[in-house]
Amino acid sequence: MKHSSPYLTVVVIGLLFALAYSTSHTHDHEHFLQCLQLQNSTSISEVVYTPSNSSYSSILQFSIQNRRFLSKTTPKPLVIVTPLHASHVQATIICSQLHGLQIRTRSGGHDLEGLSYISQVPFVIIDFMKYRNIQVDVEKRTAWVQAGATIGELYYSISKKSKTLAFPAGVCPSVGVGGHFSGGGYGYLMRKYGLAADNIIDAHMVDVKGRFLDREAMGEDLFWAIRGGGGASFGVILACKVKLVPVPPTVTVFRVERTLEQNATMLVMKWQIVAIKLHKDLTIRLILTTKAKFEALFLGGKDKLIPLMQERFPELGLVKEDCTEMSWVESTVYMAGSSSKSLQVLLQRTPSPPQNYKGKSDFLKHPIPESGLEGIWQLFKENGDKDAFMELVPYGGIMDEIPESELPYPHRSGNLCLVGYIVPLHQEDGDEVAQRHIDWTRKLYSYMEPFVSKSPRKAYINYRDLDIGVNNIDGYTSYEQASIWGHKYFNNNFKRLALVKTKVDPLNFFRYEQSIPTLLCLRPKGHK
């Protein structure tokens, strides 16, 4: 996956174009298109879509995974570029700067706030739907994965080459690796092997100058920043080289539900104590609604799992009949919640049915007391939406061994679990009901304040949440202002991210509602 960089060609053409159009920035997409055409060595016109193209709407909507951003009032891009080559990305970056357009980069389209395909200022989308090659090297236990691939496609590709290699990433197969990896990326192998970002060993990207960079060329500071710091603040990530991890030929899964009448409260209390102390080979995720659901992956057979559970968590009452043995890749289909057992589920790029949702996140450092759990049950009863849920993902294992500063993702030792709040918004219910569900999510989040991390109240960047703070839509945002949300995502790593940003994108071209700020004072004229 080596690329010969046409950077000089693009830059020279860009400079010539800048001379020809040396007046102030124009948002006329025709001039932008002419700029792209001047870099015509790889027929960029074949991957460019404007509102006048018959395919524009279908290309735009294909990767909008959160359907609440599909309304007529949602801002639309002037141009969509679906690159086939790095040079397409290089040209788009150069021409966007020349014509005052912002860039949004879309991999799988799962951003919870739609920031990978929405902007309040004139913008272009780089959509990687056609840039999704995966090359697995079993002998070296590595894979190169282009940004438009999904984690399901990665799992599928690994399984075609090996039954005993895997990769530690998320549960939802249609999530794109570009955003997932650059924000951290957790899953059922996290306690054993860490985050997806912990297992990235090289990357290809294009920076603000249009340069094609690998790990050696970008340097260790930038390579650090794009593995957990949200890559869209620093450039456009094209691909990642990842380290594959060993798994046994047989793993065991179970999914056990307990109602309040079946002592769910006491079981959750016990889970909060034991889940992070279990062997690294066992991860038990907890789903809360009006009852408790325990979902688990064990790297081994059920003959080993049952004695382990009887020793550490006998209260759950797990028996062999609750457990199913399968291969690791089959477990990814199971954990995705699919009714099908076919591996083809991993290749579906859009969820079925289409989804609308709002999400938020927290981190627990101490168990929620029994009285706190009683309040959670009551809130779910009041909501009445059977699809809303809280997920609690246990930490411990290797996550306790990785320093907070190892990557931008700071949530390591000292955390009991990550908490996610997800509420689906049913399209047939209308805007008023949807807003009521969003308000309920915020009410639950507010209720949880006494029980979660403090100073700051921490959050996970891949569960994007604009409620916790935003940059100015168009114009200067100070480091202090951005710190309101930045420290929640990155804690003490936020300052280093800003230092890297200042070095690689000092004029803050790559910016959006929660992009890393520079440390330079770049106030536009008239801004006070």
Coordinates of all heavy atoms in Angstrom, one line a residue, residues 370-411:
E370 N -26.6 0.9 45.9 CA -27.9 0.3 45.6 C -29.0 1.3 45.4 O -29.9 1.1 44.5 CB -28.3 -0.6 46.8 CG -29.6 -1.4 46.6 CD -29.9 -2.3 47.8 OE1 -29.0 -2.5 48.6 OE2 -31.0 -2.9 47.8
S371 N -29.0 2.4 46.2 CA -30.0 3.4 46.0 C -29.9 4.1 44.6 O -30.9 4.5 44.0 CB -29.9 4.5 47.1 OG -28.6 5.1 47.1
G372 N -28.7 4.2 44.2 CA -28.5 4.8 42.8 C -29.1 3.9 41.7 O -29.7 4.4 40.8
L373 N -28.9 2.6 41.9 CA -29.4 1.6 40.9 C -31.0 1.7 40.9 O -31.6 1.6 39.9 CB -28.9 0.2 41.2 CG -27.5 0.0 40.9 CD1 -27.1 -1.4 41.4 CD2 -27.1 0.1 39.4
E374 N -31.5 1.8 42.1 CA -33.0 1.9 42.2 C -33.5 3.1 41.4 O -34.6 3.0 40.7 CB -33.4 2.0 43.6 CG -33.1 0.8 44.5 CD -33.9 -0.5 44.1 OE1 -34.8 -0.4 43.3 OE2 -33.5 -1.5 44.6
G375 N -32.8 4.2 41.4 CA -33.2 5.4 40.6 C -33.1 5.1 39.2 O -33.9 5.7 38.4
I376 N -32.1 4.4 38.7 CA -31.9 4.1 37.3 C -33.1 3.2 36.8 O -33.6 3.5 35.7 CB -30.5 3.3 37.1 CG1 -29.4 4.3 37.4 CG2 -30.5 2.8 35.6 CD1 -28.0 3.6 37.3
W377 N -33.4 2.2 37.6 CA -34.6 1.4 37.2 C -35.8 2.2 37.0 O -36.6 2.0 36.0 CB -34.8 0.3 38.2 CG -33.7 -0.7 38.6 CD1 -33.4 -1.0 39.9 CD2 -32.9 -1.4 37.7 NE1 -32.3 -1.9 39.9 CE2 -32.0 -2.2 38.6 CE3 -32.8 -1.6 36.4 CZ2 -31.1 -3.0 38.1 CZ3 -31.8 -2.4 35.9 CH2 -31.0 -3.1 36.7
Q378 N -36.0 3.1 37.9 CA -37.2 4.0 37.9 C -37.2 4.9 36.6 O -38.3 5.1 36.0 CB -37.3 4.8 39.1 CG -38.6 5.6 39.3 CD -39.8 4.8 39.3 OE1 -39.8 3.7 39.9 NE2 -40.9 5.2 38.6
L379 N -36.1 5.4 36.3 CA -36.0 6.3 35.1 C -36.3 5.5 33.8 O -37.0 6.0 32.9 CB -34.6 6.9 35.0 CG -34.4 8.1 35.9 CD1 -32.9 8.5 36.0 CD2 -35.2 9.3 35.4
F380 N -35.8 4.3 33.7 CA -36.2 3.5 32.6 C -37.6 3.1 32.5 O -38.3 3.1 31.4 CB -35.3 2.2 32.5 CG -34.0 2.4 31.9 CD1 -32.8 2.6 32.6 CD2 -33.9 2.4 30.5 CE1 -31.6 2.8 32.0 CE2 -32.6 2.6 29.9 CZ -31.5 2.8 30.6
K381 N -38.2 2.9 33.7 CA -39.7 2.6 33.7 C -40.5 3.8 33.2 O -41.5 3.7 32.5 CB -40.1 2.2 35.1 CG -39.7 0.9 35.5 CD -40.1 0.6 37.0 CE -39.6 -0.8 37.4 NZ -40.0 -1.1 38.9
E382 N -40.0 5.0 33.6 CA -40.7 6.3 33.2 C -40.6 6.5 31.7 O -41.5 7.0 31.1 CB -40.1 7.5 34.0 CG -40.4 7.5 35.5 CD -39.7 8.6 36.2 OE1 -39.0 9.4 35.6 OE2 -39.8 8.6 37.5
N383 N -39.4 6.2 31.2 CA -39.2 6.4 29.8 C -40.1 5.6 28.9 O -40.7 6.2 27.9 CB -37.7 6.2 29.4 CG -37.4 6.4 28.0 OD1 -37.7 7.5 27.4 ND2 -36.8 5.5 27.3
G384 N -40.2 4.4 29.2 CA -41.2 3.5 28.4 C -40.7 3.1 27.1 O -41.4 2.4 26.3
D385 N -39.4 3.5 26.7 CA -38.9 3.1 25.4 C -38.0 1.8 25.6 O -37.0 1.9 26.2 CB -38.0 4.2 24.8 CG -37.5 3.9 23.4 OD1 -37.5 2.7 23.0 OD2 -37.2 4.8 22.6
K386 N -38.5 0.7 25.1 CA -37.8 -0.6 25.3 C -36.5 -0.7 24.7 O -35.7 -1.5 25.0 CB -38.7 -1.7 24.9 CG -39.0 -1.7 23.4 CD -39.9 -2.9 22.9 CE -40.2 -2.9 21.5 NZ -39.0 -3.0 20.6
D387 N -36.2 0.2 23.7 CA -34.9 0.2 23.0 C -33.8 1.0 23.7 O -32.6 0.9 23.3 CB -35.1 0.6 21.6 CG -36.0 -0.4 20.8 OD1 -35.9 -1.6 21.1 OD2 -36.8 0.1 20.0
A388 N -34.1 1.9 24.6 CA -33.1 2.8 25.3 C -32.4 1.9 26.2 O -32.9 1.0 26.8 CB -33.8 3.9 26.0
F389 N -31.1 2.2 26.4 CA -30.3 1.3 27.3 C -29.0 2.1 27.8 O -28.6 3.1 27.2 CB -29.8 0.0 26.6 CG -28.9 0.2 25.4 CD1 -27.5 0.1 25.6 CD2 -29.4 0.4 24.2 CE1 -26.6 0.3 24.6 CE2 -28.5 0.5 23.1 CZ -27.2 0.5 23.3
M390 N -28.5 1.6 28.9 CA -27.2 1.9 29.4 C -26.3 0.7 29.2 O -26.7 -0.4 29.5 CB -27.2 2.3 30.9 CG -27.7 3.7 31.2 SD -27.8 3.9 33.1 CE -26.0 3.6 33.6
E391 N -25.1 1.0 28.7 CA -24.1 -0.1 28.7 C -22.9 0.2 29.6 O -22.5 1.3 29.7 CB -23.5 -0.3 27.2 CG -22.7 0.8 26.7 CD -21.9 0.4 25.5 OE1 -21.7 -0.8 25.2 OE2 -21.4 1.4 24.8
L392 N -22.5 -0.8 30.3 CA -21.3 -0.7 31.2 C -20.3 -1.7 30.7 O -20.5 -2.9 30.7 CB -21.7 -1.0 32.6 CG -22.6 0.1 33.3 CD1 -24.0 0.1 32.9 CD2 -22.5 0.0 34.9
V393 N -19.1 -1.1 30.3 CA -18.1 -2.0 29.7 C -16.9 -2.0 30.7 O -16.3 -1.0 31.0 CB -17.6 -1.3 28.4 CG1 -16.5 -2.2 27.8 CG2 -18.7 -1.2 27.4
P394 N -16.6 -3.2 31.2 CA -15.6 -3.3 32.3 C -14.2 -3.0 31.9 O -13.8 -3.4 30.8 CB -15.8 -4.7 32.8 CG -16.2 -5.5 31.6 CD -17.1 -4.5 30.8
Y395 N -13.4 -2.4 32.8 CA -12.0 -2.2 32.5 C -11.2 -3.2 33.3 O -11.6 -4.4 33.3 CB -11.7 -0.8 33.0 CG -11.8 0.2 31.9 CD1 -13.0 0.3 31.1 CD2 -10.8 1.1 31.5 CE1 -13.1 1.2 30.1 CE2 -10.9 2.0 30.5 CZ -12.1 2.1 29.8 OH -12.2 3.0 28.8
G396 N -10.1 -2.9 33.8 CA -9.2 -3.9 34.4 C -8.4 -4.5 33.3 O -8.3 -4.1 32.2
G397 N -7.7 -5.6 33.6 CA -6.9 -6.3 32.7 C -5.7 -5.4 32.2 O -5.2 -4.6 33.0
I398 N -5.4 -5.5 30.9 CA -4.3 -4.7 30.4 C -4.6 -3.2 30.5 O -3.6 -2.4 30.5 CB -4.0 -5.1 28.9 CG1 -2.6 -4.7 28.6 CG2 -5.0 -4.6 28.0 CD1 -2.1 -5.2 27.2
M399 N -5.8 -2.8 30.5 CA -6.1 -1.4 30.6 C -5.6 -0.7 31.9 O -5.3 0.5 31.9 CB -7.6 -1.1 30.5 CG -8.2 -1.5 29.1 SD -7.6 -0.5 27.8 CE -8.5 1.0 28.0
D400 N -5.4 -1.5 32.9 CA -4.8 -1.0 34.1 C -3.3 -0.9 34.0 O -2.7 -0.2 34.9 CB -5.1 -1.9 35.3 CG -6.5 -1.7 35.8 OD1 -7.2 -0.7 35.5 OD2 -7.0 -2.6 36.7
E401 N -2.7 -1.5 33.0 CA -1.3 -1.5 32.9 C -0.7 -0.5 31.9 O 0.5 -0.2 31.9 CB -0.8 -2.9 32.4 CG -1.3 -4.0 33.3 CD -1.1 -5.4 32.6 OE1 -0.4 -5.5 31.6 OE2 -1.8 -6.4 33.1
I402 N -1.6 0.2 31.1 CA -1.2 1.2 30.1 C -1.2 2.6 30.7 O -2.3 3.0 31.2 CB -2.1 1.1 28.9 CG1 -2.0 -0.3 28.3 CG2 -1.6 2.1 27.8 CD1 -3.0 -0.6 27.1
P403 N -0.2 3.3 30.7 CA -0.2 4.7 31.3 C -1.2 5.6 30.6 O -1.5 5.4 29.4 CB 1.3 5.2 31.1 CG 2.1 4.0 30.8 CD 1.2 2.9 30.2
E404 N -1.7 6.5 31.3 CA -2.7 7.5 30.8 C -2.1 8.3 29.6 O -2.9 8.6 28.7 CB -3.1 8.4 31.9 CG -4.1 9.5 31.5 CD -4.5 10.4 32.6 OE1 -4.6 10.0 33.8 OE2 -4.7 11.7 32.4
S405 N -0.8 8.5 29.6 CA -0.2 9.4 28.6 C 0.3 8.6 27.4 O 0.8 9.1 26.4 CB 0.9 10.2 29.1 OG 1.9 9.3 29.7
E406 N 0.1 7.2 27.4 CA 0.6 6.4 26.3 C 0.0 6.8 25.0 O 0.7 6.9 24.0 CB 0.3 4.9 26.6 CG 0.8 4.0 25.6 CD 2.3 3.7 25.7 OE1 2.9 4.1 26.7 OE2 2.8 3.1 24.7
L407 N -1.3 7.1 25.0 CA -2.0 7.6 23.8 C -2.9 8.8 24.3 O -3.1 8.9 25.5 CB -2.8 6.5 23.2 CG -2.1 5.4 22.5 CD1 -3.1 4.4 21.9 CD2 -1.1 5.8 21.5
P408 N -3.5 9.5 23.4 CA -4.4 10.6 23.8 C -5.6 10.1 24.7 O -6.0 10.8 25.5 CB -4.9 11.2 22.5 CG -3.8 11.0 21.5 CD -3.2 9.6 21.9
Y409 N -6.0 8.9 24.4 CA -7.1 8.2 25.2 C -6.6 8.0 26.6 O -5.7 7.2 26.8 CB -7.5 6.9 24.5 CG -8.6 6.2 25.2 CD1 -9.9 6.3 24.6 CD2 -8.5 5.4 26.3 CE1 -11.0 5.6 25.2 CE2 -9.5 4.7 26.9 CZ -10.8 4.8 26.3 OH -11.8 4.2 26.9
P410 N -7.2 8.8 27.6 CA -6.6 8.8 28.9 C -7.2 7.8 29.9 O -6.8 7.7 31.0 CB -6.8 10.2 29.4 CG -8.1 10.5 28.8 CD -8.2 9.8 27.5
H411 N -8.3 7.2 29.5 CA -9.2 6.4 30.5 C -8.6 5.0 30.7 O -9.0 4.1 30.0 CB -10.6 6.4 29.9 CG -11.1 7.7 29.4 ND1 -11.2 8.8 30.2 CD2 -11.4 8.1 28.1 CE1 -11.7 9.8 29.4 NE2 -11.8 9.4 28.2

